[in-house]
Amino acid sequence: MGWLNKIFKGSVNRVSRGHYDGHWHEGNQSEHTRDAYDESDSEDIARAIALSLAEQDPNKGKAIDPDYSLEEDEQLARALQESLNTESPPHQNAPVENVPTESIPAREPHQHVLPSSGFRTCAGCRKPIGHGRFLSCMDEVWHPQCFKCYACNKPISEYEFAMHEDQPYHKSCYKDFFHPKCDVCKNFIPTNKNGLIEYRAHPFWMQKYCPSHEDDGTPRCCSCERMEPTDIKYITLDDGRKLCLECLTSATMDSPECQHLYMDIQEFFEGLNMKVEQQVPLLLVERQALNEALEAEKSGHHLPETRGLCLSEEQIVRTILKRPTIGPGNRIMDMITGPYKLVRRCEVTAILILYGLPRLQTGSILAHEMMHAYLRLKGYRSLSPQVEEGICQVLSHLWLESEIIAGASGNAASSSASSSSSSAAPTSSKKGAKTEFEKKLGAFIKNQIETDSSVEYGDGFRAGIQAVEQYGLRSTLDHMRLTGSFPY
């Protein structure tokens, strides 16, 4: 199953600061004084005010000082017209160049200009900027106290800020809200050498984490494959496997405990008219015992990490007799095992299942191995690994579907059933209600079967389920007995 790799980047915006004292002064410096301007600046201010008053009252406009030449007036008008035509490019937040006025009727004033006074309006409070400092950003002008972060509602005083959905943020607030955090170490995921945020994500659970955790020894749950977070301690089994706390709640830990599940799956096979008459022992074992039994077995095709075996040979196997306890450091302790001698009375001597897995995962492995037993006991010979493993995966998949459906209906009926029944059903019953995590885990195990990339298990399952859906399970099995292959 492949892992997802995510890379994304953000953008930085800048604030242009300025002040108004009759002229609009914009740039990176935030403080200027009126005394800094010479007499020619004062004359330009006087002309702009005079032209604005003349436009408001044509009669008064004729009283402008006759020393102003017509040529000078035309030059000033052209300069103001050019300032009105200047637009800031989108998302660059460049400063607005000059004050727009109403002395030129050829163009409507900007939205942030008050027609009666020539003052620009603040995009925050919608009041005129007036005399004093202002900010120019997002193609608008603002009072410094009105340009606020969308997250904390405090003014943005830094030169740079972040944007999200057309709203401004402090860079620190933006990081808190939108910069992804690692689900393992709980820190912000660092940027790579190119300045981009890069992380890994589990393809099913979507647990995201820093790429470094793939190589730093961070353990994964042996069942659901999620990485161990730094703030939660997984259970350590005696063979070194890690088990998350959610998977632990339904984990099957000893052979007696597994017998209820075994009976459920036998009933499931009987419901498909595939009853197994022979009494095949079911044993829950440690990894070492499973590997030793695999070496003693003369035939079979198995995954690189075997979790279940259908045995045909006589041998002695050590099985778990009593559920172990959890000791200091969340480690399994007090494991009690005992020898079990397998005697060959039929084609199958025993089914072995690795201990410490959740009920749904244990059941899916058991359904797979039980199908191996059925094929051997019913005389299905000379099946290719792809066909045999494929049809076993089909039965595992069908059992999981029945459990998930039964669990969903059990959730809906649990309250009424408890009030109308005088005796409570056993908690291991296949009709028992499933928690949200169990339903999610069941979907995960199904997804593992469906997306397996191996030839025997993955391609075999996809060919087998297609045949079963098209021709039915019984017709598919009959065709396999006659030809050794799936019907097409």
Side-chain angles (χ1 to χ4, degrees), residues 235-238 322-328 330-336 355:
I235 302 298
T236 303
L237 304 179
D238 69 323
K322 183 179 179 182
R323 185 182 183 94
T325 59
I326 301 174
N330 276 13
R331 299 189 67 89
I332 289 292
M333 57 184 298
D334 298 332
M335 178 76 72
I336 300 177
Y355 92 102

Side-chain angles (χ1 to χ4, degrees), residues 124 133 160 269 309 329 421 467:
R133 294 186 302 122
E160 294 182 342
F269 271 69
L309 282 175
S421 176

Side-chain angles (χ1 to χ4, degrees), residues 194-209:
N194 297 319
L196 304 177
I197 300 170
E198 179 180 0
Y199 63 88
R200 304 288 188 268
H202 190 285
F204 184 85
W205 301 100
M206 296 311 296
Q207 180 191 42
K208 57 183 181 293
Y209 52 89

Side-chain angles (χ1 to χ4, degrees), residues 310-367:
C310 179
L311 301 180
S312 299
E313 303 296 328
E314 290 189 348
Q315 54 180 297
I316 296 177
V317 177
R318 294 197 69 83
T319 182
I320 301 175
L321 301 177
K322 183 179 179 182
R323 185 182 183 94
T325 59
I326 301 174
N330 276 13
R331 299 189 67 89
I332 289 292
M333 57 184 298
D334 298 332
M335 178 76 72
I336 300 177
T337 62
Y340 190 100
K341 185 176 182 180
L342 304 181
V343 179
R344 186 179 175 89
R345 296 188 176 92
C346 58
E347 291 296 320
V348 179
T349 57
I351 293 176
L352 306 186
I353 303 295
L354 182 64
Y355 92 102
L357 299 175
R359 180 183 180 277
L360 285 176
Q361 196 156 44
T362 302
S364 68
I365 298 169
L366 180 52

Side-chain angles (χ1 to χ4, degrees), residues 396-407 446 450 465 469:
S396 176
H397 192 270
L398 292 176
W399 180 80
L400 279 169
E401 282 189 333
S402 72
E403 283 289 301
I404 294 173
I405 293 173
K446 280 183 58 184
E450 295 161 358
I465 196 68
E469 289 175 348

